[in-house]
Amino acid sequence: SPYTLSLHDALPIYEDSLAVYENLPSSPIPALGPEDGVSWPDAEAGTTASNFTSFSTSLGFSFNSHSTAPPNLPVPDGGRISDLRHIPNSKYLHSIQPQTMTVNVVVGIISISPPRSIQTRGRSAVEIVELLVGDETKSGFGINCWLPLNAVSRPAGGHPDLRSSLSGLRPQDIILVRNVALSSFRGKVYGQSLRREVTKIDLLFRNRIDRKDEGGCYSVRDLSNTTSNDIHPQVGKTILVREWVLRFIGHGATTMR
């Protein structure tokens, strides 16, 4: 069960992240790249990233005959997908304030924390779920997911709320995270959710334990056709992340305590 910390006792990064969450501008800007005439310092080296790679996708999906999604799980459109290694560094994020940059990422879960309740000053308690994720370009990127306790779930037929999306996730799952805001604390860049259910998480692929285990939007067959010339960019990214997950996230990965 979740436990409660007062904001006074919480780690400084939680206080900083919650302040950003509560005071974030209502119109964050999406990430741009060299194809838009923009370049920024690399997150690790502090140098300009000239080999920026992003997947620019069109609305909708055009799968080939060997790649179909389960009919009961519509495939979300992730738009432009950013590699983790090309996320801007803290210096660049500070230079664009008060604007806040958002990105869409396809990542594998390294660890996921149980919900932790934090009592804010003069406000109701909120919960935080921490994701530690990675892709084939970089590992160890943190995402703070803030969950108001009084949030109203989305109606049936719509996209599930963030709490519902997080509830069934586990290490090794490959997820699409849309509209995650970028922030920094003591020079380290991390992601965090936006209010009003702007940030969305979808399970793209899971190594199912058995037939009863819930799967993602893509099946093994969807991600096995690596030679096709018309492979969808989001599928291609998921294939790369899956290979990284199988290689670097062992079966011993567990929920963070």
Side-chain angles (χ1 to χ4, degrees):
S1 61
Y3 56 93
T4 303
L5 287 174
S6 67
L7 192 58
H8 175 74
D9 297 326
L11 294 175
I13 189 173
Y14 294 156
E15 185 172 357
D16 182 79
S17 178
L18 183 58
V20 173
Y21 172 78
E22 292 182 333
N23 301 310
L24 204 61
S26 58
S27 55
I29 62 173
L32 301 176
E35 63 270 37
D36 304 292
V38 176
S39 61
W40 50 61
D42 180 78
E44 291 294 333
T47 58
T48 299
S50 58
N51 60 337
F52 178 88
T53 58
S54 65
F55 294 102
S56 298
T57 65
S58 58
L59 292 177
F61 287 78
S62 177
F63 291 106
N64 56 50
S65 59
H66 300 288
S67 181
T68 57
N72 59 327
L73 287 176
V75 179
D77 184 358
R80 174 178 294 164
I81 306 298
S82 298
D83 291 342
L84 290 183
R85 69 175 174 179
H86 293 128
I87 285 178
N89 61 19
S90 60
K91 183 178 180 180
Y92 180 84
L93 295 179
H94 284 296
S95 72
I96 64 172
Q97 289 180 347
Q99 293 177 307
T100 300
M101 180 173 289
T102 62
V103 294
N104 305 323
V105 294
V106 172
V107 291
I109 297 179
I110 300 173
S111 59
I112 179 171
S113 74
R116 177 180 302 182
S117 182
I118 295 180
Q119 187 72 40
T120 64
R121 296 188 184 99
R123 297 180 177 88
S124 301
V126 293
E127 290 184 334
I128 183 174
V129 172
E130 298 169 273
L131 296 174
L132 190 65
V133 301
D135 66 7
E136 80 285 2
T137 70
K138 183 181 178 182
S139 63
F141 183 71
I143 301 177
N144 294 339
C145 298
W146 291 99
L147 308 173
L149 295 180
N150 59 350
V152 179
S153 299
R154 290 296 179 94
H159 192 280
D161 62 8
L162 190 57
R163 182 182 296 275
S164 300
S165 298
L166 289 166
S167 62
L169 296 181
R170 64 191 188 216
Q172 294 190 322
D173 284 350
I174 300 174
I175 57 175
L176 167 66
V177 188
R178 290 177 282 173
N179 298 320
V180 59
L182 299 180
S183 189
S184 65
F185 180 75
R186 295 178 181 174
K188 184 175 179 62
V189 176
Y190 64 92
Q192 66 174 65
S193 62
L194 295 167
R195 291 179 295 169
R196 302 176 183 175
E197 299 296 331
V198 172
T199 302
K200 295 178 173 59
I201 295 179
D202 295 277
L203 176 62
L204 294 183
F205 180 79
R206 164 178 290 168
N207 289 315
R208 299 170 62 189
I209 299 174
D210 52 41
R211 292 185 177 181
K212 295 182 180 180
D213 193 15
E214 180 181 355
C217 300
Y218 300 139
S219 66
V220 173
R221 184 181 182 184
D222 295 330
L223 305 182
S224 298
N225 185 20
T226 60
T227 59
S228 174
N229 293 327
D230 62 345
I231 189 170
H232 192 279
Q234 184 168 292
V235 177
K237 177 65 176 180
T238 306
I239 290 172
L240 293 175
V241 175
R242 179 182 179 234
E243 292 174 349
W244 174 80
V245 166
L246 294 175
R247 192 176 301 124
F248 294 106
I249 304 181
H251 294 285
T254 57
T255 300
M256 289 194 302
R257 297 187 179 274

